[in-house]
């Protein structure tokens, strides 16, 4: 998983890069969960005084009151308060025009004392301009603060005023702070949510801290007081005049240093050993035997578990992730007698999944029907060199379509089908009616993206189903659809590596779900590409066995085999029976009831893959099952259900989101992913 | 290469501990030192190795070895042509270790002739690969010596040697670091800067800035700063160099980013500052007015190290010294004026601080921060310099600076500080503030700044200090300044007249300027005193000064002296002859129109006197000259000459008719009539006035 997350990070856009997608505001504050704490994006049309008018998507503010004296002041707040998870928040206001009182004629034109040409070093002469400024305040305020006032005058309200350059901190009298401002000036207001201080900028120049000890949940606020005053706000939708990005990088640097220099009591100080332990337990947990062995050897550690046990678990995981639940259950019963018997709910979950896989056409029970007797399943599960790691490194950028990486197009003729390795094999299943309707890669990709992949029954096609052998044009471009071909051998052979791949993905998927919204989109891509590599290699080895499937066609339940459907239905009854027994013995269980209901619902549709309950057929759904089973096995051997490494990462992410909710700004610069990414 | 860092030190220590028992007696007698002189190269190698273990990590041992005169022998081995390169490498390792000791150790190595020996060796193995252990060791040793700040840079580089050195600077990183450090510390004069660029130093620096190793980048920045300091030519070359598609100024901005190490940010900001001051980047370049300025102000904050704050403030003062725009921006950036006030108050807090470790300031401030007890002084000096720059041109900023709590008191006490640098900074600050009429009339009077200022002027031997102080004095002597009287009482006339005899042109200029200001609307006794102390000889000398500014101010002084009828007559009575001579000297000399205009104005003043008129009327040569100036195609000179004529023929005065007749006879009336056709209104008015005087 460490490998996954760092790999993933490398394809993430840089934290404060020039752009991320199409939402520059969101890109400024990547750690803000907008579902919980939306960002201020414009002025609120409700939270304002009546003298305020809003135009241009509520970004331009103008004054429309009498503007006789300060009693006519009017303010407007932004739509949302500033989330603490911004870490460093910033917005800018451009003074589009000053009001009619903007030139102060009452004031004696500033005494021009001084600046006489007299000393040897030539002194400059001041431009003799009348001071110009606006009667407005720019700043922050809490919800509920009177809007018939300029920001800064009341409690929980803070403002920098243009007429005198003073800062007003919840008080009617200001302190000298900065220069005055007027038409054409751009005033920026920033809030550092780590130190809880506020600063301003004028035309890109940093003016220094204005307020300290700010309360939480402040809104960007502007207040005007004179007819004719117009200001435009930039909440980040356009580039700022001030270089806030650099300030953010500094904060990030600071937070990282704080973390790295955080004192740890001596008893916990054995970092190296602890880290070795974490890596080792992680490898063991997920059954990466060889790696774990090698790692343990070079770091001179012991396992808590026997090697054979790890290998057994690895085998079972592969079966589950391959959708061969029947075999998996058998193997578990063989290797861990009593485990499932004592854990009815787990067994039930496995059975339900088996049923789903039967519908899918993947489970051994139904696949066996269409399998060539000459190819026993054992042959297929012969280990293949795990090469998924190659695939990982070529992850495309998340969010882009899953076009295969160009590297693979050159390496092998059968490319585009790996966009949907699984799909292609699925096609094979349905090849009974190989309608030659070509499907473009794009479509395949889309389908993948929609998680419509049916799982692949390895070798299911071999021999029995009619397949068309076509020479595949070498380097067939990804745009030319169709030839979604794969050798059944390869798809089965690669199963070893597939499952590992999936397993890995599963883990990363769960982690990502906790905190990383980007993770989801990238997921399917990484997945299919991971596969592609495998196939490429396999194909090279088994070129004679290449088969070409012309169309996707429509998938059929249980691979369209009537016998298999019969078995599936019979099995369904068995599962239902088991459910009743369970309810009798263990009482009502909503979860069990729901998963059974969902599974049975698949039968209600002609094309279950495209049905509202079709998500269950996604191979990804095997992952939680696989994990539960793996955890149960480990638990039965008194080993931890989850590897410490995953727990640690999950804890950290949880803590960061807790920090965000508790208004601790440092969380903005403590992203686990960016930390891992930056270590590369 | 001698290993660096505590781990390696420990390793050596460990080694020493291991072999210690067998050496116990050796340690006392140091038998291996005898072996050093052995002709058996094997034995000699053994001895050098033992010596190496003895000196690495032990300052005391380094000192002893140097005292024993071992260095001479080591250099002898180094220079010997027949000896093995391995032995020589070992020898340089020992020398490098010795150089890393105290600064005294490094300077005794230099005195023993280490540098020429090393340069020689670099030359001899120039043909070989730069990566050889021997070359690397030599570069390391040179680096260590130069970083101690005690090695005089070669007065002028040998081009071939410099080229070799620069070639070594491209790889590997360890060599780059050494070369960058050597060049940074050995580039002091304008000539060296130019030589460095001619030998390809600019390209090398650009390349090193892009190194991924910060230990290379930092000395490269120092080197860049050293190269472009006050050197317009070199700066303009450096500013247009690029590496990897990025121009040097952009590379510098990259290195100045806020997430870079602070010393790197500071060094990059210094480089950009120097580039700006040498004219390669303009003040309104965003790299200067936004990035560099903000970086330096940020570095002045409280949470930084003292040396960083001092360094940053000094650089900031230099950056903002001239440009009003930068001064205004700096004055509003991050409460800078307030921050500087902290510098003034921080005078006690760091007194007990321990000696700093690993300060990597620029070569310019090499070793400056070694002694924490000097820190308060350094901070004070830096802050005063910043205030001086900020207040140089803008009256608003000046008033804000003056209102800084306790600043005036600090300036006054700093004027009599023991440290000349602090004194200079205080005078600079006072000078900036003295450009405000308001301040002259109020604050300066309240604080009696003239008193310590006069003391500085009279006691200091530093030309720079006296230049700035006399410049300040000029402003204090303006006629509306209440300090003027007090300053006169302090014997300023005598002092300033003495100053006009100094060889430094800046001092002469300021002195004459001050005298000019002093003479403006002054009492007669003051004028007499000036003339008395200055003497006509000195006036002539000043009038023939090669510096046109001095000449102008001297003429200005004469003008101020010769004003109001009574004074004119009295002065002309005593010095009329000399003054007229002086004026003729100017009018006949090869001078610009401005100078001659001043001379004509003096004549006009003289013509305003009663008796003094005769000095002109009796000199037909001068009258002819005047008539000549009335017709030459320069309006200003025409006006001045006409004005003089009009004074001469002024109606109500005694003997006016006589003078009118004489001038009419000479053709002046006719000339004036012709001039009535002028399109210049000022001249027209003067001509008209003059004509009206004629009866």
């Amino acid at each position: 998983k460490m490998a996954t997350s760092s790999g993933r990070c490398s394809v993430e856009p840089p934290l404060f890069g020039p752009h991320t997608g199409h939402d520059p505001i969101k890109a400024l504050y990547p750690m803000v969960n907008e579902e919980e704490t939306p960002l201020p994006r414009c002025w609120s049309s409700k939270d304002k005084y009546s003298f305020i008018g809003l135009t241009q998507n509520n970004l331009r503010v103008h004054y429309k009151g009498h503007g006789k004296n300060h009693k006519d002041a009017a303010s407007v707040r932004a739509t949302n308060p500033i989330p603490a998870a911004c870490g460093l928040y910033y917005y800018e206001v451009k003074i589009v025009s000053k009001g009619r009182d903007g030139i102060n004629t009452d004031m004696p034109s500033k005494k021009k004392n001084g600046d006489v040409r007299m000393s040897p070093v030539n002194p400059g002469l001041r431009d003799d301009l009348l001071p110009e400024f606006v009667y407005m305040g720019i700043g922050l305020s809490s919800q509920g603060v009177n809007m018939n006032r300029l920001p800064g005058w009341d409690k929980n309200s803070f403002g920098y005023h243009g007429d005198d350059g003073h800062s007003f901190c919840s008080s009617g009298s200001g302190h000298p702070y900065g220069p005055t401002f007027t038409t054409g000036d751009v005033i920026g207001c920033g809030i550092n949510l780590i130190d809880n201080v506020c600063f301003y900028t004028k035309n890109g120049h940093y003016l220094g801290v204005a307020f300290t000890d700010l309360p939480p949940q402040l809104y960007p606020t502007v207040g005007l007081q004179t007819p004719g005053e117009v200001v435009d706000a930039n909440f980040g939708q356009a580039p700022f005049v001030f270089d806030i990005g650099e300030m953010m990088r500094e904060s990030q640097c600071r937070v990282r240093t704080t973390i790295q220099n955080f004192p740890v009591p001596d008893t916990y100080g054995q970092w190296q050993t602890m880290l070795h332990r974490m890596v080792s337990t992680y490898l063991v947990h997920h059954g990466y035997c060889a790696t774990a062995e090698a790692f343990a050897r070079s770091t001179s550690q012991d396992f808590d578990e026997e090697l054979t046990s790890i290998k057994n678990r690895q085998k079972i995981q592969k079966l589950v992730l391959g959708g061969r639940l029947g075999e998996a259950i058998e193997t578990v019963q063989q290797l861990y007698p009593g485990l499932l018997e004592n854990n009815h709910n787990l067994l039930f979950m496995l059975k339900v999944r088996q049923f789903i896989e039967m519908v899918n056409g993947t489970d051994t029970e139904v696949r066996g029907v269409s399998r060539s007797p000459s190819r026993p399943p054992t042959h297929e599960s012969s280990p293949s060199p795990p090469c998924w790691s190659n695939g990982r490194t070529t992850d495309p950028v998340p969010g882009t379509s899953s076009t295969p990486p160009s590297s693979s197009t050159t390496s092998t003729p059968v490319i585009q089908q790996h966009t949907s390795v699984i799909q292609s094999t699925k096609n094979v299943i349905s090849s009974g009616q190989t309608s030659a309707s070509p499907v473009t890669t794009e479509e395949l990709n889309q389908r993948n993206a929609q998680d419509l992949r049916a799982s692949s029954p390895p070798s299911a096609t071999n021999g029995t189903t009619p397949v068309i052998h076509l020479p595949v044009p070498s380097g067939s471009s990804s745009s030319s659809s169709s030839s979604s071909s794969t050798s059944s051998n390869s798809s089965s052979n690669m199963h070893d590596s597939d499952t590992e791949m999936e397993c890995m993905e599963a883990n990363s998927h769960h982690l990502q779900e906790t905190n990383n919204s980007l993770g989801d989109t990238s997921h399917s891509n990484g997945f299919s590409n991971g596969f592609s590599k495998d196939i490429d290699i396999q194909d090279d080895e088994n070129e004679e066995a290449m088969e070409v499937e012309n169309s996707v066609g429509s998938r059929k339940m249980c691979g369209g085999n009537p016998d298999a459907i019969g078995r599936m239905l019979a099995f369904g009854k068995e599962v239902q029976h088991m459910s009743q027994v369970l309810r009798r013995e263990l009482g009502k269980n909503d979860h069990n009831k729901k998963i059974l209901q969902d599974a049975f619902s698949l039968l209600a549709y002609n094309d279950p893959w495209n049905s509202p309950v079709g998500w269950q057929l996604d191979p990804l759904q095997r992952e939680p099952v696989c994990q539960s089973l793996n955890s149960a096995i480990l638990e039965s051997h008194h080993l931890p259900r989850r590897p410490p490494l995953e727990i640690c990462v999950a804890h950290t992410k949880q803590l960061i989101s807790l920090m965000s909710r508790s208004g601790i700004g440092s969380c903005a610069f403590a992203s686990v992913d960016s930390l891992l990414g930056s270590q590369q | 290469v001698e290993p660096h860092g505590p781990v390696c030190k420990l390793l050596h220590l460990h080694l020493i501990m291991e072999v210690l028992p067998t050496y116990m007696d050796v340690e006392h007698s140091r038998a291996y030192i005898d072996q050093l002189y052995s002709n058996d190269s094997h034995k000699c190698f053994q001895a050098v190795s033992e010596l190496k273990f003895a000196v690495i990590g032990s300052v005391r041992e380094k000192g002893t070895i140097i005292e024993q005169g071992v260095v001479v022998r080591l250099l002898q081995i180094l220079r010997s042509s027949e000896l093995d390169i391995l032995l020589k490498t070992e020898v340089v390792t020992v020398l490098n270790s010795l150089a890393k000791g105290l600064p005294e150790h490094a300077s005794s190595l230099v005195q023993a002739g280490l540098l020429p020996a090393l340069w020689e060796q670099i030359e001899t193995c120039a043909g070989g690969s730069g990566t050889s252990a021997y070359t690397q060791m030599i570069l390391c040793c040179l680096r260590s010596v130069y970083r101690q700040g005690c090695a005089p840079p070669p007065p002028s580089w040998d081009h071939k040697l410099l080229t070799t050195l620069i070639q070594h600077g491209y790889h590997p990183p360890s060599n780059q670091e050494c070369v960058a450090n050597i060049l940074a510390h050995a580039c002091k004069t304008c000539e060296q800067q130019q030589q460095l660029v001619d030998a390809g130093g600019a390209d090398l620096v650009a390349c090193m800035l892009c190194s991924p190793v910060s230990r290379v980048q930092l000395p490269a920045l120092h080197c860049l700063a050293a190269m472009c300091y006050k050197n317009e030519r070199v700066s303009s070359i450096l500013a247009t160099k690029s590496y990897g598609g990025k121009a040097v100024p952009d590379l510098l901005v990259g290195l100045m980013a806020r997430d870079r190490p602070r010393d790197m940010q500071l060094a990059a900001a210094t480089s950009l500052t120097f580039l700006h001051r040498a004219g390669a980047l303009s003040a309104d370049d965003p790299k200067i007015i936004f990035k560099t300025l903000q970086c330096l102000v940020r570095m002045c904050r409280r949470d930084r190290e003292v040396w960083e704050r001092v360094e940053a403030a000094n650089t900031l003062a230099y950056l903002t010294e001239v440009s009003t725009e930068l001064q205004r921006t700096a004055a509003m950036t991050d409460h800078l004026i307030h921050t500087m006030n902290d510098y003034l108050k921080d005078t006690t807090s760091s007194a007990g601080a321990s000696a700093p470790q690993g300060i990597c300031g620029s070569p310019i401030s090499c070793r400056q921060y070694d002694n924490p007890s000097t820190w308060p002084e350094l901070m004070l000096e830096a802050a005063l310099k910043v205030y001086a720059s900020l207040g140089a041109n803008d009256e608003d900023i000046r008033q804000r600076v003056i209102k800084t709590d306790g600043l005036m008191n600090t300036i006054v006490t700093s004027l009599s500080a023991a440290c000349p640098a602090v004194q200079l900074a205080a005078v600079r600050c006072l000078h900036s503030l003295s450009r405000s009429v308001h301040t002259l009339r109020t604050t300066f009077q309240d604080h009696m700044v003239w008193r310590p200022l006069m003391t500085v002027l009279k006691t200091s031997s530093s030309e720079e200090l006296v230049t700035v102080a006399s410049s300040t004095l000029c402003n204090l002597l303006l006629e509306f300044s209440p300090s003027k009287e007090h300053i006169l009482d302090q014997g300023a006339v005598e002092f300033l007249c003495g100053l006009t005899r100094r060889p430094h042109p800046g001092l002469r200029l300021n002195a004459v300027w001050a005298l000019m200001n002093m003479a403006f609307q002054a009492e007669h006794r003051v004028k007499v005193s000036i003339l008395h102390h200055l003497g006509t000889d000195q006036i002539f000398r000043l009038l023939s000064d090669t510096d046109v500014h001095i000449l102008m101010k001297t003429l200005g002084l004469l003008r101020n002296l010769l004003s109001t009828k009574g004074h004119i007559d009295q002065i002309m009575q005593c010095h009329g002859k000399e003054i007229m001579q002086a004026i003729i000297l100017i009018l006949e000399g090869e001078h610009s129109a401005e100078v001659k205009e001043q001379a004509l104005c003096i004549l006009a003043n003289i013509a305003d006197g009663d008796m003094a008129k005769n000095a002109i009327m009796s000199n037909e040569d001068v009258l002819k000259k005047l008539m000549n100036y009335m017709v030459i195609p320069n309006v200003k000179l025409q006006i001045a000459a006409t004005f003089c004529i009009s004074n001469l023929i002024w109606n109500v005065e005694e003997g006016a008719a006589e003078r009118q007749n004489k001038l009419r006879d000479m053709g002046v009336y006719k000339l004036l009539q012709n001039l009535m056709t002028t399109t210049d209104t000022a001249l027209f008015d003067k001509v008209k006035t003059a004509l009206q005087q004629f009866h």
Side-chain angles (χ1 to χ4, degrees), chain A residues 324-456:
Chain A
R324 289 146 65 181
L325 267 293
E327 284 171 75
I329 294 169
E330 238 170 79
T331 317
V332 172
Q333 280 164 340
Q334 222 169 55
L335 295 171
Y336 303 98
L339 176 79
L340 293 177
E341 286 77 356
N342 292 328
N343 196 338
H344 296 285
N345 283 332
L346 178 64
L347 180 60
F348 183 69
M349 193 211 275
L350 290 172
K351 292 272 187 189
V352 172
R353 186 68 215 174
Q354 187 180 3
F355 175 79
I356 295 167
E357 296 300 347
M358 287 172 105
V359 174
N360 218 350
T362 4
D363 191 70
T364 336
E365 287 281 321
V366 292
R367 199 179 43 174
V369 178
S370 54
R371 186 187 298 127
S372 151
S374 68
R375 288 203 177 241
T378 46
H379 170 79
E380 287 136 27
S381 50
S382 67
S384 68
C387 37
W388 45 269
S389 58
N390 292 340
R392 287 236 41 95
T393 54
T394 56
D395 273 7
V397 176
T400 61
S401 78
S402 57
T403 17
S406 53
S407 61
S408 57
T409 38
T410 52
S411 64
T412 162
V414 262
I415 307 313
Q416 60 283 71
Q417 98 284 358
H418 61 346
T419 42
S420 49
V421 183
I422 309 166
Q423 191 141 17
S424 65
T425 37
K426 164 198 72 208
N427 298 340
V428 171
I429 303 162
S430 60
S431 62
Q433 60 292 309
T434 35
S435 66
S437 69
V439 173
T440 64
T441 321
E442 217 167 70
E443 278 172 348
L444 290 176
N445 287 337
Q446 272 173 2
R447 233 178 272 246
N448 268 343
Q450 288 159 11
D451 283 333
L452 281 174
R453 279 166 292 175
S455 65
S456 55

Side-chain angles (χ1 to χ4, degrees), chain B residues 279-324:
Chain B
L281 294 173
S282 74
D284 53 7
D285 188 317
K287 290 189 271 294
I288 296 297
I289 197 164
F290 287 96
K291 297 286 179 182
T292 307
L293 186 68
Q294 278 182 27
C295 175
L296 289 172
V297 175
R298 198 165 61 232
M299 290 289 158
C300 293
R301 275 190 212 157
R302 228 158 214 274
D303 53 349
R304 312 284 151 144
E305 302 284 338
V306 170
W307 77 268
E308 286 173 328
R309 301 176 76 193
V310 172
E311 197 85 346
N314 281 327
T315 313
L316 187 63
Y318 185 57
L319 176 73
T320 56
E321 196 177 347
V322 181
S323 157
T324 311

Side-chain angles (χ1 to χ4, degrees), chain A residues 297-310:
Chain A
R297 230 186 352 261
S298 60
T299 56
S300 39
Q301 294 184 91
D302 305 321
F303 296 151
D304 294 334
E305 192 182 0
E306 273 180 48
L307 208 59
T308 43
S309 162
I310 304 173

Side-chain angles (χ1 to χ4, degrees), chain B residues 13-31:
Chain B
L13 204 66
H14 190 64
L15 278 171
I16 294 165
M17 297 303 279
E18 256 180 14
V19 296
L20 207 56
T22 51
Y23 282 120
M24 275 319 257
D25 45 343
V26 180
E27 188 67 26
H28 280 286
S29 61
R30 290 201 176 83

Side-chain angles (χ1 to χ4, degrees), chain B residues 452-484:
Chain B
L453 186 67
M454 282 307 289
T455 315
V456 167
L457 280 167
K458 283 177 176 172
T459 55
S460 174
S461 55
S462 154
E463 266 186 0
E464 197 183 4
L465 185 55
V466 176
T467 310
V468 188
S470 54
S471 193
T472 313
L473 195 66
C474 285
N475 291 344
L476 286 167
L477 283 170
L478 286 164
E479 85 280 9
F480 48 78
S481 161
S483 311
K484 187 175 177 177

